[in-house]
Amino acid sequence: GLKIYNNKLTKIPFSGAYGGDGGWDFAVEMFWDEGTEFYGNEVRGAGFDTNFQYKGSYPYSVWIHDNTFTLPSAMASSNAAITLEFDTDGAIVENNVIDKMSNCVLFTPRPGNKISNVVIRKNVCTHVGKTTGNGSNASFIILGPGESNFNIEGLDILNNTFVADPNNRPWWGIELGGQSTGTVKNIAIKNNILAHTLAGAIVQGGGVTMSSVNISNNDLFDNTQSNDPVFTGPQPTGYTYANNIHGDPLFVSDTDYQLKSGSPAIDKGVDVGLPFKGSAPDIGYAER
């Protein structure tokens, strides 16, 4: 039931080659969360990191919402806005503003861990990337880079706006686990804008078994692989890929990522239970 809110936290950005190399990329590190709420904070130069997230008697393990995470400029080092380590059950990440980080949401499970019942929605994450290696190890959302033998069951990624730095493009947009063993199931990726990635907007780079994967009503723009999802292992069973578009979302400006009049993303979303105007939800974090 811990609440951390309405703080301004400023840290020298991490510049090492790996975690612990002269520092870390977080301003806050938590362990064994049950019902932790982190909101209304302005975090400059670093992110929020937590380990072992369980709901217990609360409706969520961690609820990370309405925060701002920023770096002063793009970095050569990996800097994640939000890192969820080991087991993660019932986490909610919503309404955050993230700018110039290498990763918006990073999951780092270990063998035997499980990611379950996670919701990531209505976040705006811009200028994503790194200044070295064409954005290698940068992404919008990445689950278990380099790890194996963990399971993902229940992940909703809804109505987010993810925009890479065109000059420092990350390899991946959403990477659904790089493991070679384990399972990935009950995944919904809907109503998101994913733009400017280098190696694929949505990828699964391992040989795991995937099932019940729904990728619908997203605007996948200016990504390689013809903007299509890339599964290097077996194709998912129970797979839906429908009503996705590939047009320039037409943002108001380089600093305002709401949609302007004439955007192809207006009224092109699907109802996921969030309030909307018009005949259908807009794609992206902000309803016009």
Side-chain angles (χ1 to χ4, degrees), residues 3 10 18 32 34 48 78 84 106 113 117 129 132 156 162 171-172 181 205 232 239 248-249 264 278 283:
K3 297 181 186 295
T10 303
Y18 54 86
W32 300 101
E34 290 187 13
F48 176 90
S78 294
L84 302 167
L106 169 65
N113 287 149
N117 306 310
T132 56
D156 291 346
F162 297 116
W171 282 115
W172 304 290
T181 57
T232 59
Y239 176 47
D248 185 339
I283 299 174

Side-chain angles (χ1 to χ4, degrees), residues 154-270:
L155 173 63
D156 291 346
I157 303 172
L158 311 171
N159 282 96
N160 302 280
T161 296
F162 297 116
V163 182
D165 180 347
N167 298 315
N168 300 292
R169 303 173 77 169
W171 282 115
W172 304 290
I174 298 170
E175 187 189 16
L176 296 171
Q179 74 271 35
S180 57
T181 57
T183 59
V184 176
K185 61 183 178 180
N186 297 332
I187 307 298
I189 301 173
K190 301 179 180 181
N191 298 352
N192 303 282
I193 296 171
L194 295 96
H196 309 314
T197 63
L198 188 62
I202 301 169
V203 304
Q204 203 294 316
V208 301
T209 300
M210 299 181 67
S211 61
S212 300
V213 176
N214 190 314
I215 301 173
S216 300
N217 297 82
N218 302 283
D219 188 354
L220 311 174
F221 172 68
D222 188 33
N223 305 284
T224 54
Q225 311 293 341
S226 301
N227 289 300
D228 292 328
V230 179
F231 305 116
T232 59
Q235 279 287 112
T237 60
Y239 176 47
T240 300
Y241 183 74
N243 303 317
N244 299 285
I245 63 174
H246 305 304
D248 185 339
L250 298 179
F251 298 122
V252 171
S253 71
D254 289 340
T255 57
D256 185 343
Y257 291 88
Q258 298 183 82
L259 304 175
K260 67 181 180 182
S261 179
S263 168
I266 294 173
D267 292 348
K268 296 299 183 180
V270 62

Side-chain angles (χ1 to χ4, degrees), residues 16-258:
Y18 54 86
D21 179 19
W24 303 89
D25 68 341
F26 49 78
V28 177
E29 185 179 34
M30 305 292 296
F31 285 81
W32 300 101
D33 285 288
E34 290 187 13
T36 295
E37 187 177 1
F38 186 83
Y39 67 97
N41 300 288
E42 181 181 334
V43 187
R44 290 176 285 189
F48 176 90
D49 183 297
T50 185
N51 303 259
F52 304 104
Q53 295 65 247
Y54 304 105
K55 289 169 60 175
S57 60
Y58 295 90
Y60 49 82
S61 58
V62 288
W63 183 17
I64 305 165
H65 66 95
D66 296 284
N67 305 285
T68 299
F69 300 91
T70 61
L71 285 176
S73 62
M75 300 286 295
S77 300
S78 294
N79 284 269
I82 297 165
T83 302
L84 302 167
E85 301 198 52
F86 297 93
D87 288 315
T88 298
D89 177 46
I92 304 171
V93 178
E94 63 181 347
N95 297 325
N96 298 286
V97 175
I98 300 168
D99 188 54
K100 299 183 181 69
M101 309 293 282
S102 63
N103 301 91
C104 306
V105 184
L106 169 65
F107 293 82
T108 59
R110 276 53 162 195
N113 287 149
K114 186 175 182 179
I115 298 166
S116 56
N117 306 310
V118 172
V119 177
I120 301 171
R121 64 190 171 208
K122 294 188 71 66
N123 303 282
V124 54
C125 190
T126 55
H127 301 105
V128 180
K130 290 172 59 179
T131 60
T132 56
N134 286 327
S136 179
N137 299 321
S139 62
F140 301 146
I141 299 173
I142 185 167
L143 294 102
E147 295 290 344
S148 63
N149 193 30
F150 64 90
N151 299 311
I152 304 169
E153 183 173 354
L155 173 63
D156 291 346
I157 303 172
L158 311 171
N159 282 96
N160 302 280
T161 296
F162 297 116
V163 182
D165 180 347
N167 298 315
N168 300 292
R169 303 173 77 169
W171 282 115
W172 304 290
I174 298 170
E175 187 189 16
L176 296 171
Q179 74 271 35
S180 57
T181 57
T183 59
V184 176
K185 61 183 178 180
N186 297 332
I187 307 298
I189 301 173
K190 301 179 180 181
N191 298 352
N192 303 282
I193 296 171
L194 295 96
H196 309 314
T197 63
L198 188 62
I202 301 169
V203 304
Q204 203 294 316
V208 301
T209 300
M210 299 181 67
S211 61
S212 300
V213 176
N214 190 314
I215 301 173
S216 300
N217 297 82
N218 302 283
D219 188 354
L220 311 174
F221 172 68
D222 188 33
N223 305 284
T224 54
Q225 311 293 341
S226 301
N227 289 300
D228 292 328
V230 179
F231 305 116
T232 59
Q235 279 287 112
T237 60
Y239 176 47
T240 300
Y241 183 74
N243 303 317
N244 299 285
I245 63 174
H246 305 304
D248 185 339
L250 298 179
F251 298 122
V252 171
S253 71
D254 289 340
T255 57
D256 185 343
Y257 291 88
Q258 298 183 82

